[in-house]
Amino acid sequence: LFLNGNRLQQLPMSFSMMSNLKELDIGTNKFTEFPTASVLCHVKTLSINDNSIELLPEDIDLMSSIKTLNLGENMVRALPNNFCLLGSLTNLRLVCNELTDLPIGLAGLSSLKTLQLDPNMF
C-alpha cells in the first residue's frame, strides 16, 4: 500500500485489522510520531522516511515481522532498547536523522544485512 506524499499525520487504528498488509509506504507525509507499533505488527516492509519523527515507540518490538525499515530523513534522536528485539530485520535505513549513538544490542541483530546511517550526529 503506497500512501506517500499525502500529508498524513497518523494511521487509523483499523490498519491493525489489515493482517494481509505486508508492505506500507507512508514516506513524505506529516507524521511527527511513529504509528502505534501494534497497528503495524504484520508489515514486513515499512517506509516512513521524510517525515518529522523524533521518537520511536518503546513497543516497537511488536513489529516482529519487519524485514525492511526505512526511517531516513526524520529527526530520530535515539533507538529504544527493545529495537534490538527485531530479529527478522534485514535492512535498516536511518540516514539523515539526529542519532548520536546506537544501542549496543544492535550488534545482536544477526539477520541484519544492510545498515545505512550516514549522515547522523555520530
Side-chain angles (χ1 to χ4, degrees):
L1 181 59
F2 296 91
L3 296 172
N4 52 329
N6 282 298
R7 304 172 69 116
L8 297 174
Q9 295 179 348
Q10 61 186 13
L11 291 177
M13 287 302 289
S14 60
F15 263 66
S16 62
M17 296 188 302
M18 298 175 71
S19 60
N20 290 324
L21 182 65
K22 302 301 180 204
E23 184 173 353
L24 180 61
D25 185 339
I26 49 176
T28 316
N29 277 292
K30 302 289 182 187
F31 287 90
T32 56
E33 295 182 4
F34 194 88
T36 305
S38 61
V39 171
L40 302 171
C41 63
H42 300 290
V43 173
K44 293 184 182 294
T45 300
L46 175 62
S47 292
I48 190 166
N49 59 300
D50 196 21
N51 280 282
S52 299
I53 297 169
E54 292 182 26
L55 298 172
L56 300 180
E58 287 296 325
D59 64 351
I60 197 162
D61 58 314
L62 294 176
M63 295 176 58
S64 59
S65 298
I66 195 78
K67 291 184 176 288
T68 299
L69 181 56
N70 181 357
L71 283 162
E73 296 89 20
N74 276 289
M75 297 186 295
V76 177
R77 296 173 191 226
L79 299 179
N81 289 330
N82 57 357
F83 191 89
C84 303
L85 300 175
L86 297 175
S88 297
L89 194 62
T90 58
N91 301 297
L92 177 57
R93 185 172 182 268
L94 289 164
V95 300
C96 298
N97 276 286
E98 297 180 8
L99 293 168
T100 56
D101 64 357
L102 297 171
I104 195 157
L106 198 64
L109 290 176
S110 59
S111 296
L112 193 61
K113 294 184 178 16
T114 304
L115 176 61
Q116 296 174 297
L117 294 170
D118 58 310
N120 270 284
M121 304 254 184
F122 301 117

